[in-house]
Amino acid sequence: MTGPRSAELFRRARDVIPGGVNSPVRAFRSVGGEPIFLARGAGARVWDVDGREYLDYVGSWGPLVLGHAHPEVIEAIREAAADGTTFGAPTEREVRFAELVRSAVPSLERLRCVSSGTEATMSALRVARGFTGRDRIVKIDGGYHGHADVLLVEAGSGAATLGIPGSAGVPADVARNTLVVPWNDLPAMRALFAAPEHRGKIAAVIVEPVCGNIGCVPPAPGYLEGLRELTREDGALLVFDEVMTGFRVAWGGAQARFGVRPDLTCLGKIVGGGLPAAVFGGRADVMAKLAPEGPVYQAGTLSGNPLAMAAGLKTLELLARPGTYERLETLSARLEAGLRGAAERAGVAVHLNRVGAMFTAFFAEHAVVDYATAKQSDTARFGRYFRAMLERGVYLAPSQFEAAFMSLAHTEADVDATVSAAASALAACSSAGA
Ligand SMILES: *Cc1c(COP(=O)(O)O)cnc(C)c1O
């Protein structure tokens, strides 16, 4: 399956880079086989170093909503690069970027740019703690918010894929301040807030408003509203980690789609337009605690990097055009319907969750509503499906516990080709051990 050049590069990579990869899920551990090394991408397609072409539903794990190497984004990066790549001083692009992001996400009364989603969530929680004077954080079982110590507790994404619920190297003293409850379970969240030992000690609840890192699992009706009410009553802050959902499930993110206004929001992935940029922000009174206005320290040499701002600005400008999210919805709904039909015809139990242009086909008999039900999926069958799709030229995330992403570069013909590939892949992987 893996071509000779990929195999050779992986051999060299393993010698110098732990696991041969710079982020764990890229190693294909949970699906078997070895990773393909990619050489280039254009639109909805990528090519590996052995010259094989794939239809891409990874999109660099979320950022590439316009597809690979969008000409206008590349031109914006080129223009910015010609002016110099970094200054460590304020630039006009940062202001324009921040204004555009706020116009799309009005709850971001004040925002700051950082370079990764990890930095965004880490900084948001620090300012939440600084503002409330409280230490405890509540997160969701299987929620993934990057790899800051405080958030690597029962985490999703690669930690879920590799079965590492609590990372080694995170001090127990740090993990103790992180409380974990199941997704979509409002009574559990209520019970936590009602417990005498936590009263007045919870700084923030951080959630992905659509879970994406245990695979795509939407919020139950009323769940996000319930979190809003509960945190407000308690004086804890509600933090939406929209690193994945921001500008993915709607212009303005999940908070626009579901109509719930958090106190703080984290953005990443799409806002960087394929370069390293992320955002955290929210209520002006909370963000006023940040240095240099306030006592909460946060900084970054490359924060608001000119190239990343240029790529992000251009990406958001293109997304702001009328009809983009309708187009993503149409394409994604077409794929969803096609996959459902293909699974039914193949007689394979698949539970498909989708919110806009993010979706996951769980190999599960039952509805997937939280991490516990996601974990009941047949991951061995997923592995066979993944490999069968790759052989048929469709590149999916190499884990059952990840979302797939549609881009504006995909076409109806691409979607139909994907459905045909899936029909044949499902037939091939329906027999055990195939
Ligand atoms: C990807 C992701 C992060 C981490 O972002 P990085 O840029 O990889 O550090 C955080 N939160 C969510 C919801 C994500 O999907």
Side-chain angles (χ1 to χ4, degrees), residues 95-168:
V95 184
R96 285 173 44 214
F97 176 86
E99 286 170 348
L100 181 55
V101 169
R102 181 170 66 181
S103 75
V105 189
S107 74
L108 289 169
E109 294 166 2
R110 298 278 189 283
L111 62 101
R112 192 164 265 182
C113 296
V114 291
S115 300
S116 70
T118 294
E119 257 187 285
T121 58
M122 184 182 81
S123 308
L125 292 184
R126 186 179 303 137
V127 77
R129 285 166 155 173
F131 177 81
T132 57
R134 303 171 175 188
D135 285 342
R136 289 184 196 161
I137 300 296
V138 181
K139 75 177 285 290
I140 300 299
D141 189 20
Y144 181 70
H145 309 286
H147 62 96
D149 282 355
V150 64
L151 289 162
L152 269 190
V153 180
E154 308 294 342
S157 190
T161 303
L162 301 172
I164 305 175
S167 171

Side-chain angles (χ1 to χ4, degrees), residues 359-423:
F359 49 93
T360 299
F362 290 98
F363 286 79
E365 307 272 349
H366 310 289
V368 174
V369 297
D370 59 13
Y371 191 26
T373 45
K375 278 193 283 199
Q376 288 163 10
S377 304
D378 186 342
T379 52
R381 179 172 275 178
F382 174 82
R384 295 199 295 276
Y385 174 70
F386 169 84
R387 292 193 302 274
M389 288 296 270
L390 200 62
E391 278 165 22
R392 287 159 180 76
V394 181
Y395 186 60
L396 304 171
S399 166
Q400 173 71 93
F401 305 113
E402 298 286 351
F405 302 110
M406 187 66 75
S407 84
L408 288 166
H410 287 80
T411 64
E412 272 82 0
D414 292 336
V415 166
D416 296 347
T418 306
V419 172
S420 307

Side-chain angles (χ1 to χ4, degrees), residues 68-89:
H68 292 267
H70 189 285
E72 290 186 61
V73 176
I74 299 304
E75 188 46 39
I77 296 170
R78 210 190 299 278
E79 261 175 42
D83 290 338
T85 56
T86 177
F87 302 102

